[in-house]
Amino acid sequence: MRYFPCLYFMRWRSSIVVNTYNVDTMRVHALPWVLNAKLGPAVVVDPQFLHSQFFAGLLLSDGHLYKTYKVTHNSAFSLEMKWGDPGLSMVVSTFTLLKSAGLATGNFVERKRTAEVKPNVEQSYGVAYGYSLRHALFTDLRHIWYPNGYKIVPGCVKDYLSPVCLYTWFAGDGNARGAGVEFNTQSFQHDDVLFLADILLTKYQLQSEIQTEGKGYVIVLKQKAARQFAGLIHTLVPTCYSYKLKHLRN
């Protein structure tokens, strides 16, 4: 999330559940490019979409796979995004798909978080938080994405980093930066960030810079590369996320 650039390293207090929601009762900005399917409770989705470009984009940004604490327990998936039209839309869309695949109940909650954005300065904000059922599919994915207990960028991402994956990743962890854009990759190790930057260059000829921010690293696309990037994903961006690219329209 760009809202607090170093959130991964910040101290935050436990959240309070404010409300519980169900995806069937929510209006959502449709993401028709996800599996070329119309979103809705009647849609039947192949669980293999967990190995799709869309899901890879979620795991590169705000998606998380829970650790299996007991041998008999499988992992589960969670997604937390800042409350508001964009984040809420992504959470509802994701858990509509998971529910259709029988991998979630379709419920998510509104939470309040308090983060220390700098020494002795705290800021409160709301988040939409969704979580799946435990399933062997998530356990398999966790072995790929968290082989040593922390999230990495697995080699298979190179095959998944399509425009759909780029958009989903950017929707969660991207933002405008000056005349360009950046991906907030502070939670990844330096080698993983280098790997992502190399994919952007070799696959899409997107020249980037890796810059230090807080205790981690971000990938920055300057104006020319940012315009190229916007051209790759502009047809996928729903209205609620268009603000992230509006500075590149002129």
Side-chain angles (χ1 to χ4, degrees), residues 64 67 142 145-151:
H64 177 66
K67 180 179 180 181
R142 183 174 169 86
W145 285 81
Y146 299 73
N148 300 308
Y150 58 87
K151 190 190 286 188

Side-chain angles (χ1 to χ4, degrees), residues 35-100:
L35 306 177
N36 294 316
K38 181 180 179 182
L39 296 179
V43 175
V44 177
V45 179
D46 185 338
Q48 287 304 310
F49 89 89
L50 296 180
H51 295 276
S52 69
Q53 303 154 4
F54 172 66
F55 208 75
L58 291 177
L59 287 172
L60 284 172
S61 56
D62 296 307
H64 177 66
L65 292 164
Y66 284 113
K67 180 179 180 181
T68 302
Y69 291 99
K70 296 182 180 180
V71 175
T72 56
H73 287 179
N74 283 309
S75 295
F77 171 76
S78 69
L79 179 64
E80 178 178 295
M81 303 190 78
K82 190 171 182 181
W83 190 265
D85 202 28
L88 184 59
S89 178
M90 186 64 78
V91 170
V92 173
S93 298
T94 300
F95 284 90
T96 297
L97 288 169
L98 288 173
K99 182 180 180 181
S100 299

Side-chain angles (χ1 to χ4, degrees), residues 162-179:
S162 66
V164 166
C165 183
L166 287 173
Y167 159 67
T168 312
W169 176 25
F170 184 72
D173 273 353
N175 57 269
R177 178 164 176 153

